[in-house]
Structure formats: C-alpha cells, structure tokens
C-alpha cells in the first residue's frame, strides 16, 4: 500500500492543518423572534431554547451574543392576530413595534448587522406570503406591498433586506424601490431557492403564521427540483440580489453546492426551525449528543458551500467555541 489516507489523520495538529472547511461565529446569522410588550421571554414549545422576546429582554441577550462573536441577526415579528389583515398593512406602518425595535437596537449596538424578513405572512390574516384573492395568491398585486415593506424596513435601519416570499420579480422591484428612496447601500439577501418544506413547522408556531387555507406550493419550490433553482438564482442575480439563499439547508445541500459553483455571489443557507427541533428532540431523549450533532450539521452546510448560515444554534455554537 503506497497510499494510506490515515497518515494525514494520525495527529490532531495534522488534522487541523488539512481541514478543508471552517466554521466560526462569523459565519452565523441568528434568527430571533420579537413581540410587543415588556418583560417577555416566552419559549416556543416546538423550538426549545428559542423565545419570543420583548425589546427589554432582547437587548441584554443581544449584548451577550455580540460578545460571543455573533454579529448578524434576522428578526421576525410575532404580530397580534387583531393587527393582521388581508393586505398586511401593519407591516407597512413605519411605527409598528418591529421597526421601533430595530431603531432602538441599532441605536444601542451600532456594530450589529440586522437583516429583515420581507413577506406578508407575519401580518396577513390569510397567513400567506402574498395577497390572497378567491384562494389564489396574486403575484403582481403583491409586489407593491413588498416594496413598501422593504422601504420602511430600510428606513428603520435594517442593513440587509430579506425577501422570503418567492413572488416572481420581487428582487428587482425591491431593488428599484430602495434605490429610488435613497437606500442604494441597503443590501438584499434573497430567499432564492426556498422550498415548500415540511421543516418550517416550529417557525409557524412561533409566529402563529401558518396559512389559514391551502399551502405554499404555488410559490415555494417543489422539493423534487434542482434545475429550477438555477432559474430562480439567475433571476435574482440579474435583478440585483447581493446574496442568494437556499432554504432549508440540510435536505438541500446539493442545491447549496450547485448555486455556489454557478454564481459569483455569496451563498447563505437557512438551517430552518424543523432541522433545529429534530436535534433538540433527539438530544432530550438521550439519542443524540446535542453539541456534536449540531456542530456537524453546521459544518456540513459550510462544506456544501454556504458562506453564511442562518441558524437557531448560533448562540449555542458560539458558546461551545468559547468553552
Ligand atoms: C415566511 C418564512 C418562513 C420561514 C422564514 N420566513 C416560513 C414559511 O415560509 O412558511 C421559515 C423559517 C424556519 O422554519 O426556521 N416568509
């Protein structure tokens, strides 16, 4: 035997030197759920160790995470049912609590990077990402709502706008609206290949945002499709996206790899709520080791080609690295 791959694995220092993928807190984006009120830190039953925060409880949490090296966050608003309507009007109100929180967080932590979610579902009485009429999701009628939402978010101080709605043409429409409003430096991280996945369950529990009727299959992608992700990516690229996201991550590592090879833009991947919940559930039963499986999962997403990973494990991973 002339070739023995094990020789490069015989010593920790050698293993470290030949390691092909890296993973640190700098690669992670931490999704957090926010809600109105005071002194709230309410655990999401289907997503252990994740909470709905009010601003006063969130600020110290952010301070702690920033110190651990987690600098980037996506915020999702849990909106009271009474404030939801057909046109998601609360999402366009510059004085809504979500945008107020953003102003205060940016004020308190100027070094933080805040990413938004652009879609109608947190504010929609139909629980859909687009405007619903007679059971149909209207594409072009949704675009002005999304562009207005993006502009008020940029105004409030979001660094990166994250269209998660999967309407056709939304990236271009949002780019144009942002530029016209004077926000040419505000980035767009597009949810480019977002699949109609069963792994979003805990997230919809967190926001109480599940569709009231039907499903999201007329806008989110079919899990069977790969070449279609190239089409979505091509469009987002041409329409001015700064980063392309694949979502979910774990069952879609091939898509992450594909987009990384084919497009000269950073790729992010969303390690979604269901992927996180699975590990918590198994760990609670003593079936899997929480820290080891979580780290391996995140590393695999980096190895597939993701530059950044949106993950509910961000804080725990950073804590693990510190220890
Ligand atoms: C909706 C949105 C969803 C997620 C992020 N933005 C759910 C959905 O499309 O129904 C899911 C994230 C997760 O599961 O962690 N615009």
């Amino acid at each position: 035997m002339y070739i023995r791959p094990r020789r490069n694995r015989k010593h920790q220092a050698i293993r470290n030197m030949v390691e092909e993928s890296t993973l640190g807190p700098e690669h992670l984006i931490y999704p957090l759920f926010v809600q109105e009120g005071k002194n709230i830190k309410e655990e999401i039953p289907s997503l252990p160790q994740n909470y709905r925060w009010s601003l006063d409880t969130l600020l110290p949490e952010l301070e702690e995470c920033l110190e651990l090296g987690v600098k980037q966050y996506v915020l999702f608003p849990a909106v009271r049912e009474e404030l939801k309507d057909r046109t998601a009007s609360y999402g366009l109100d510059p004085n809504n609590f979500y945008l107020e929180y953003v102003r205060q967080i940016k004020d308190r932590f100027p070094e933080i990077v805040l990413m938004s979610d652009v879609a109608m579902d947190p504010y929609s009485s139909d629980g859909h990402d687009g405007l619903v009429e007679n059971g149909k999701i209207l594409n072009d009628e949704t675009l002005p709502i999304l562009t207005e939402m993006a502009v008020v978010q940029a105004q409030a101080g979001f660094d990166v706008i994250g269209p998660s709605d999967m309407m056709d043409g939304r990236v271009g429409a949002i780019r144009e609206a942002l530029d016209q409003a004077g926000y040419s430096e505000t980035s767009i991280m597009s949810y480019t290949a977002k699949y109609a996945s069963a792994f979003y369950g805990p997230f919809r529990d967190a926001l109480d945002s599940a569709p009231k009727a039907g499903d999201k299959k007329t806008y989110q992608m079919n899990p069977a499709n790969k070449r279609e992700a190239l089409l979505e990516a091509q469009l987002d690229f041409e329409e001015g996206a700064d980063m392309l996201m694949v979502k979910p991550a774990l069952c879609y590592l091939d898509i992450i790899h594909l987009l990384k090879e084919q497009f000269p833009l950073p790729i992010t991947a969303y390690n979604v709520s269901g992927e996180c919940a699975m590990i918590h559930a198994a760990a609670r039963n003593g079936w899997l080791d929480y820290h080891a499986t979580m780290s391996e999962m995140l590393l695999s997403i980096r190895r597939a080609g993701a530059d950044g990973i949106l993950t509910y494990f961000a804080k725990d991973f950073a804590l693990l690295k510190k220890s």
Side-chain angles (χ1 to χ4, degrees):
M1 256 191 272
Y2 291 115
I3 300 173
R4 287 181 179 267
R6 286 188 55 200
R7 281 194 289 260
N8 285 338
R9 299 180 201 134
K10 71 182 170 197
H11 194 292
Q12 185 64 50
I14 298 177
R15 288 197 295 275
N16 288 349
M17 179 180 72
V18 300
E19 194 162 83
E20 295 175 43
S21 312
T22 57
L23 174 65
E26 67 274 25
H27 302 120
L28 305 181
I29 302 165
Y30 196 5
L32 294 169
F33 304 104
V34 293
Q35 74 170 57
E36 246 177 318
K38 281 215 160 41
N39 201 22
I40 296 165
K41 180 184 173 184
E42 197 180 331
E43 192 171 37
I44 295 137
S46 53
L47 196 55
Q49 292 179 46
N50 285 268
Y51 306 87
R52 282 183 288 253
W53 305 87
S54 53
L55 185 66
D56 55 336
T57 55
L58 181 63
L59 289 174
E61 175 72 6
L62 287 174
E63 189 165 8
E64 194 184 329
C65 293
L66 284 164
E67 270 168 26
L68 290 168
V70 179
K71 308 286 187 191
Q72 310 193 81
Y73 299 83
V74 184
L75 299 179
F76 293 101
V79 176
R80 274 187 288 129
E81 201 60 35
E82 315 86 83
L83 294 172
K84 298 183 183 181
D85 61 19
R86 229 191 115 241
T87 58
S89 60
Y90 188 65
L92 313 183
D93 176 354
N95 295 315
N96 71 35
F97 82 89
Y98 180 59
L99 301 177
E100 183 53 33
Y101 281 17
V102 169
R103 284 187 286 270
Q104 297 206 29
I105 294 166
K106 287 297 280 186
D107 206 42
R108 172 82 181 272
F109 307 112
E111 77 277 22
I112 204 169
V113 171
L114 291 184
M115 305 183 172
S116 75
D117 179 58
V118 176
M120 289 176 64
D121 58 334
Y123 318 97
S124 153
S125 46
D126 293 304
H128 274 287
D129 296 18
L131 192 65
V132 183
E133 199 171 271
N134 301 325
K136 278 201 157 177
I137 314 296
L138 305 179
N139 192 89
D140 297 12
E141 291 76 356
T142 300
L143 295 183
I145 298 174
L146 300 175
T147 57
E148 202 178 323
M149 193 181 290
V151 169
V152 292
Q153 290 176 351
Q155 227 157 32
F158 273 111
D159 304 279
V160 180
I161 301 296
S164 71
D165 55 281
M166 289 301 279
M167 295 301 120
D168 293 334
R170 92 276 206 210
V171 171
I174 289 173
R175 184 70 271 159
E176 196 181 331
L178 288 174
D179 287 356
Q180 273 177 6
Y183 297 105
S184 60
E185 287 188 15
T186 304
S187 317
I188 298 176
M189 174 174 69
S190 176
Y191 288 56
T192 294
K194 177 173 179 178
Y195 287 87
S197 170
F199 286 92
Y200 304 150
F203 176 97
R204 294 178 188 170
D205 291 342
L207 298 192
D208 198 12
S209 64
K212 299 279 165 31
D215 54 40
K216 298 191 173 186
K217 288 180 184 165
T218 67
Y219 46 107
Q220 298 180 347
M221 283 177 59
N222 180 346
N225 293 358
K226 179 164 162 176
R227 293 171 61 246
E228 194 183 355
L230 290 172
L231 176 61
E232 288 288 359
Q234 183 66 35
L235 290 169
D236 287 358
F237 177 68
E238 285 169 8
E239 291 174 32
D242 300 284
M243 301 177 214
L244 305 178
M245 190 204 293
V246 175
K247 177 184 175 183
L250 208 53
C251 296
Y252 301 87
L253 295 177
D254 56 333
I255 310 299
I256 297 172
H257 177 77
L258 180 69
L259 295 196
K260 182 63 172 246
E261 302 262 290
Q262 299 292 325
F263 291 89
L265 285 177
I267 305 298
T268 55
Y270 201 141
N271 179 210
V272 298
S273 56
E275 299 171 340
C276 171
M278 287 194 301
I279 287 194
H280 277 293
R284 285 184 167 196
N285 275 298
W287 297 340
L288 290 175
D289 179 89
Y290 175 70
H291 288 106
T293 49
M294 169 258 275
S295 304
E296 185 176 332
M297 188 186 265
L298 293 174
L299 188 64
S300 77
I301 300 168
R302 286 276 297 157
R303 192 191 63 239
D307 298 281
I309 307 172
L310 295 84
T311 179
Y312 302 96
F313 296 128
K315 183 184 181 187
D316 281 352
F317 180 79
L319 276 168
L320 182 68
K321 272 261 159 165
K322 270 257 152 108
S323 64

